[in-house]
């Protein structure tokens, strides 16, 4: 079955630690996205990539980094520079003008 | 800039009631897409509908219907005869670049719908 997988489902980070969230898709989609969701808020764009080896910052990119070395994969690293990383992180992908498909999300908590 | 406003933060209805979720948007583009997504308690966003701005016909899918009015920049979503399984957060969204392909979405803050048995 085609879809988007995110791992881990839950992630705990200590202060000053970098962590990486995984996002993989087997839909052969060109574009991939990372959104952050805080309680009671809509989704906000962190980074997106429309093609391999290229990506653009979203509204809240500070303290995050990404890579797009393969079409299927778009990992997100939350660095120690991100002062308030506790949130729900959603990865999505799309092709052409179709809707975005979302993964199940990763819930990150800072200890 | 693109903006989506969902003024209703939370709505509670009794099962079998009809409910309408409001969505008002702002866009600089003359043609654009609009989307509705459902987020059940599991957290994953589920796609419901995509509407192109030059198609103003209302759309019905089972108990779901959508009313798109370009004149008032609104794209409202109605659930008829609501069920407990409809309980979720619903998001309206607009691409940051009109009807271009593979562009990020701007989301409203969502409306939490609770359907009580």
């Amino acid at each position: 079955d085609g879809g988007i997988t995110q791992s881990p489902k839950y992630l705990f980070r200590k202060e000053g630690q970098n962590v990486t969230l995984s996002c993989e898709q087997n839909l052969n989609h060109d574009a991939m996205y990372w959104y952050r969701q805080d309680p009671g808020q809509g989704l906000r764009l962190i980074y997106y990539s429309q093609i391999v080896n290229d990506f653009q910052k979203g509204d809240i990119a500070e303290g995050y980094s990404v890579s797009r070395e393969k079409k299927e994969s778009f990992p997100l690293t939350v660095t120690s520079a991100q002062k308030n990383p506790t949130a729900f992180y959603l990865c999505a992908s799309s092709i052409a003008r179709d809707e975005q498909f979302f993964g199940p999300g990763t819930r990150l908590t800072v200890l | 800039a693109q903006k989506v406003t969902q003024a209703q933060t939370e709505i509670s209805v009794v099962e079998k009631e009809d409910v309408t979720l409001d969505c008002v948007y702002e866009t600089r583009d003359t043609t654009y897409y609009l989307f509705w997504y459902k987020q059940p308690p599991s957290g994953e966003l589920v796609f419901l509908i995509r509407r192109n701005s030059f198609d103003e016909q209302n759309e019905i899918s089972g108990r779901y219907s959508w009313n798109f009015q370009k004149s008032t920049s609104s794209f409202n979503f109605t659930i008829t005869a609501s069920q407990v399984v409809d309980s979720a957060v619903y998001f309206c969204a607009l691409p940051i670049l009109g009807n271009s392909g593979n562009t990020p979405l701007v989301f409203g803050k969502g409306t939490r719908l609770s359907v009580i048995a």
Side-chain angles (χ1 to χ4, degrees):
Chain A
D1 286 333
I4 301 176
T5 57
Q6 291 186 242
S7 62
K9 186 172 182 178
Y10 297 98
L11 185 58
F12 299 92
R13 192 193 92 167
K14 294 180 180 179
E15 295 282 351
Q17 208 177 36
N18 291 356
V19 292
T20 297
L21 284 60
S22 170
C23 177
E24 304 274 334
Q25 55 100 358
N26 61 3
L27 301 167
N28 199 33
H29 284 177
D30 296 312
M32 297 186 73
Y33 314 82
W34 276 105
Y35 295 93
R36 167 178 170 148
Q37 185 180 20
D38 294 285
Q41 301 294 315
L43 281 67
R44 291 183 292 166
L45 180 68
I46 306 173
Y47 269 98
Y48 69 104
S49 167
Q50 294 174 314
I51 195 170
V52 174
N53 291 322
D54 187 43
F55 47 82
Q56 287 76 42
K57 292 182 179 180
D59 299 325
I60 56 167
E62 185 175 349
Y64 300 98
S65 66
V66 293
S67 63
R68 186 87 186 277
E69 297 175 1
K70 298 187 299 181
K71 190 175 186 177
E72 304 79 23
S73 179
F74 192 39
L76 174 74
T77 296
V78 184
T79 74
S80 56
Q82 171 49 238
K83 297 307 177 188
N84 185 23
T86 295
F88 187 52
Y89 291 86
L90 285 158
C91 178
S93 70
S94 69
I95 187 166
R97 289 179 172 75
D98 289 343
E99 67 275 13
Q100 292 183 13
F101 289 84
F102 284 80
T106 292
R107 196 166 298 279
L108 173 62
T109 303
V110 174
L111 300 174
Chain B
Q2 315 291 71
K3 184 178 180 181
V4 176
T5 301
Q6 295 180 256
Q8 303 152 308
T9 305
E10 295 190 34
I11 301 176
S12 287
V13 298
V14 176
E15 205 171 20
K16 297 184 184 176
E17 285 185 352
D18 299 347
V19 58
T20 295
L21 309 182
D22 297 332
C23 173
V24 175
Y25 62 91
E26 296 175 27
T27 178
R28 60 180 176 268
D29 300 304
T30 53
T31 59
Y32 47 89
Y33 287 108
L34 290 161
F35 297 83
W36 274 95
Y37 283 86
K38 174 182 180 179
Q39 186 178 41
S42 62
E44 183 171 345
L45 263 71
V46 177
F47 165 77
L48 295 177
I49 190 172
R50 179 187 64 177
R51 166 65 71 197
N52 193 310
S53 60
F54 52 72
D55 181 2
E56 290 199 59
Q57 283 194 343
N58 289 338
E59 181 147 348
I60 298 174
S61 176
R63 295 184 298 107
Y64 294 171
S65 63
W66 290 268
N67 180 267
F68 174 48
Q69 296 208 347
K70 206 168 180 178
S71 60
T72 57
S73 297
S74 66
F75 186 40
N76 297 337
F77 172 35
T78 297
I79 302 174
T80 302
S82 59
Q83 300 176 2
V84 172
V85 294
D86 296 326
S87 297
V89 181
Y90 291 86
F91 291 98
C92 182
L94 173 71
I96 63 171
L97 290 174
N99 65 349
S100 297
N102 289 337
T103 183
L105 298 175
V106 172
F107 287 84
K109 292 190 175 182
T111 297
R112 181 178 298 278
L113 174 65
S114 298
V115 181
I116 303 165

